[in-house]
Amino acid sequence: MSELTLTVMRLGFLAVLWLFVIVAVQVIRSDLFGTRVTQRAGRRGPERPAAARPQQAAPQQQAASRGGGRGGRTKRGAPTKLVVSEGSLSGTTVALQGQTISLGRAHDSTIVLDDDYASSRHARIYPDRDGQWIVEDLGSTNGTYLDRTRLTTPTPIPPGAPIRIGKTVIELRK
Amino acid sequence: MSFNLGNTTISSGGPPSRRNTELALLVFAVLVPVFAYANVGLAMDGTIPAGMLGYGLGLGLLAGVTHLVVRKFAPYADPLMLPIATLLNGLGLVLIWRLDQEPALKPYNAAPTQLMWSALGVALFVGVLVFLKDHRILQRYTYISMAVALVLLTLPVFFPPVNGARIWVTIPGVGSLQPGEFAKIVITVFFAGYLMVKRDALALASRRFMGLYLPRGRDLGPILAIWLLSLMILVVETDLGTSLLFFGMFVVMLYVATERTSWIIFGLLLSTAGAVFVASVNTHVGDRVNNWLNPLELQNGGVTETAQAMYSFGSGGLLGSGLGQGFSRLIGGIATKSDYILATVGEELGLAGLMAIILLYGLLVERGIRTALAARDPFGKLLAVGLSGAFAIQIFVVAGGVTGLIPLTGMTMPFLAQGGSSVIANWALVAILLRISDTARRPAPAPAHNPDVEMTQVVKP
């Protein structure tokens, strides 16, 4: 091999290696500048990124409905996951596997609510013997709302009904 | 995609899944090592090496499998981690194969073995992504993982030391493994699970003493006991690198969990005291420190490995001697392909190449920490920080040791260096990070359409 070829290959390899690094940084850059930063609703102003969200979230919704078809192990039409759809935790999901889900500001809750209007042990969601999911208010200060009614007794959750705790909205989904 | 940092919401404007970006980068990441392979062959024999097609296809196959699995099981995961890991693993294979061409270096034919280990690592990567549907499941095994980590750390005591360090478990007929590499991941799960529950107690229920916040003994007791125990095990096993790794990770995670700077000060004090104590008591570690302080001192009529590594960095210069044209065989010994592989990089690719490699590691760690920022649950945050912290500390310890910044401690460069356990464990580590990142970057589900919303009593200021 001639000296020249080897020199070209040596420098060429370094160039390719650095090109990879630069491309990787470009990917990170698009990740950084492709985001919008908005103050969380309730602290500063009324704006919420919700307006922009449904569009992006459409594929996710499809994915969720597909997931439901496979996971229908327990009962047909039974919800398989709990979704936080509004509030600071929106996007969090918890799989429903027959366990009790506790909600509140306490750190050992299944869903730790970072919500000024939530009590430390606010509510719990659990399945009864027939596999029907029940929501129960645990004596919270500001109450738990199922649809429009404030809960006083443990109540079965109808499919698609929103549960409101302060600014957080929770739904059971298939 | 939207996630919370303090009281702001960050939502992505671009498409949520970056799988096609990842695919393009992966193709790039396979082509770069193939180029390197051809370069080594041309420089050493004047011909394109015969195994090039097979090697390229093998690496491409591994990359393809990982990509398809990520596409199926973690569609919103970070697009950068997988290509970077693939590139580092591929370059490592080429460098090991290049050193195989030096007849003086043992073990012979390390590259095929390393390729097999890489395949096993990818298999574990696939396994983690397929079976670990949600990283929060790991939280249930907080105390079990503590026990498993302790068993993994104690295991090598019962096996004979290799090169002065008892860090190996030899299984007859299979080979030897370094359980410490796996303990690294398992103990991170324990720290994350434990600190998540206890962080408020550690951060708030503390007394102020000389400007530092000291936590109550009962909050700190268990975790300090674990640390002392693992440190003791490691002193018995005379493996300073792993002990430094565990302690560093412990301090990083405590700091992240409690936001108290005093932990950093404590950590630096304790590790300095520990290092000085171990170096003065243990001869194996003492030798290493001596080699670090006086690398040019002649021992047994030769030059130390540390000095040889420095010579190779010097001979490489800014742009390197070119792949296959260096003299890293002079480092000799058994560690050229594992501990000292960075010296080969430094000589044959020069400062420019070495910086590129270190930047790649840096980017991988950055993506890990970014994942931690984006994660919604505290356990995921701590786990991601712990795993990327462990990765970063390991790189610092090895690179620092080879370049003479700190004493050499006998760990392997993740993905790059020869060593089965290291490659397998680090593929698993990347898989867990990808799982957390998939959960974190997943776009928020749309609120269900409900016309009665305004009639519901909603608390909104």
Side-chain angles (χ1 to χ4, degrees), chain B residues 136-423:
Chain B
R136 285 173 289 185
I137 293 170
L138 293 174
Q139 202 180 338
R140 291 182 207 153
Y141 305 112
T142 301
Y143 290 94
I144 293 177
S145 38
M146 176 191 83
V148 170
L150 285 182
V151 169
L152 284 176
L153 285 172
T154 15
L155 221 50
V157 175
F158 307 108
F159 291 86
V162 180
N163 310 319
R166 285 176 192 272
I167 48 175
W168 297 91
V169 167
T170 323
I171 308 162
V174 180
S176 45
L177 281 174
Q178 266 182 325
E181 290 281 349
F182 298 96
K184 173 177 80 180
I185 299 176
V186 179
I187 209 157
T188 314
V189 172
F190 164 65
F191 282 156
Y194 183 83
L195 287 173
M196 195 204 100
V197 178
K198 294 284 177 178
R199 64 178 173 160
D200 281 354
L202 284 172
L204 302 173
S206 51
R207 280 162 295 161
R208 223 181 137 83
F209 175 74
M210 284 171 58
L212 296 175
Y213 289 95
L214 300 178
R216 294 178 301 180
R218 61 173 167 206
D219 295 326
L220 197 59
I223 207 151
L224 212 59
I226 294 296
W227 168 68
L228 268 179
L229 207 58
S230 71
L231 207 65
M232 257 166 56
I233 292 166
L234 293 165
V235 168
V236 171
E237 291 167 12
T238 66
D239 180 23
L240 190 61
T242 316
S243 116
L244 209 62
L245 170 70
F246 281 113
F247 186 53
M249 204 172 78
F250 169 77
V251 173
V252 165
M253 290 183 77
L254 261 181
Y255 174 62
V256 170
T258 61
E259 300 175 41
R260 291 261 182 256
T261 328
S262 50
W263 288 119
I264 304 273
I265 298 167
F266 273 138
L268 287 178
L269 285 177
L270 274 174
S271 59
T272 315
V276 169
F277 171 73
V278 175
S280 59
V281 172
N282 188 299
T283 51
H284 177 71
V285 178
D287 281 352
R288 291 280 172 92
V289 172
N290 195 36
N291 284 349
W292 167 59
L293 289 173
N294 315 300
L296 297 180
E297 197 175 77
L298 293 177
Q299 282 184 346
N300 313 325
V303 189
T304 57
E305 290 179 344
T306 317
Q308 291 285 18
M310 286 176 177
Y311 290 151
S312 67
F313 283 122
S315 129
L318 200 60
L319 294 175
S321 61
L323 281 166
Q325 291 157 280
F327 296 93
S328 42
R329 63 169 181 273
L330 292 175
I331 296 172
I334 39 129
T336 320
K337 293 173 189 173
S338 49
D339 296 12
Y340 279 105
I341 196 140
L342 268 190
T344 307
V345 175
E347 179 171 20
E348 308 205 334
L349 300 177
L351 182 68
L354 189 64
M355 282 302 143
I357 298 279
I358 289 179
L359 254 179
L360 286 175
Y361 280 115
L363 287 175
L364 198 56
V365 171
E366 191 270 345
R367 294 323 284 168
I369 291 172
R370 173 81 183 170
T371 298
L373 275 179
R376 293 188 188 90
D377 60 311
F379 177 74
K381 274 183 196 296
L382 279 173
L383 190 60
V385 160
L387 290 176
S388 29
F391 200 79
I393 293 168
Q394 186 164 358
I395 291 155
F396 171 75
V397 165
V398 184
V402 174
T403 53
L405 185 67
I406 56 171
L408 188 84
T409 49
M411 288 179 83
T412 54
M413 205 68 185
F415 295 119
L416 207 59
Q418 182 218 351
S421 333
S422 168
V423 167

Side-chain angles (χ1 to χ4, degrees), chain B residues 7 12 66 89 161 172 181 230 242 248 250 283 299 372 390 430 433 454:
Chain B
N7 60 351
S12 161
T66 50
N89 200 342
E181 290 281 349
S230 71
T242 316
F250 169 77
T283 51
Q299 282 184 346
V430 169
L433 278 179
E454 292 315 313

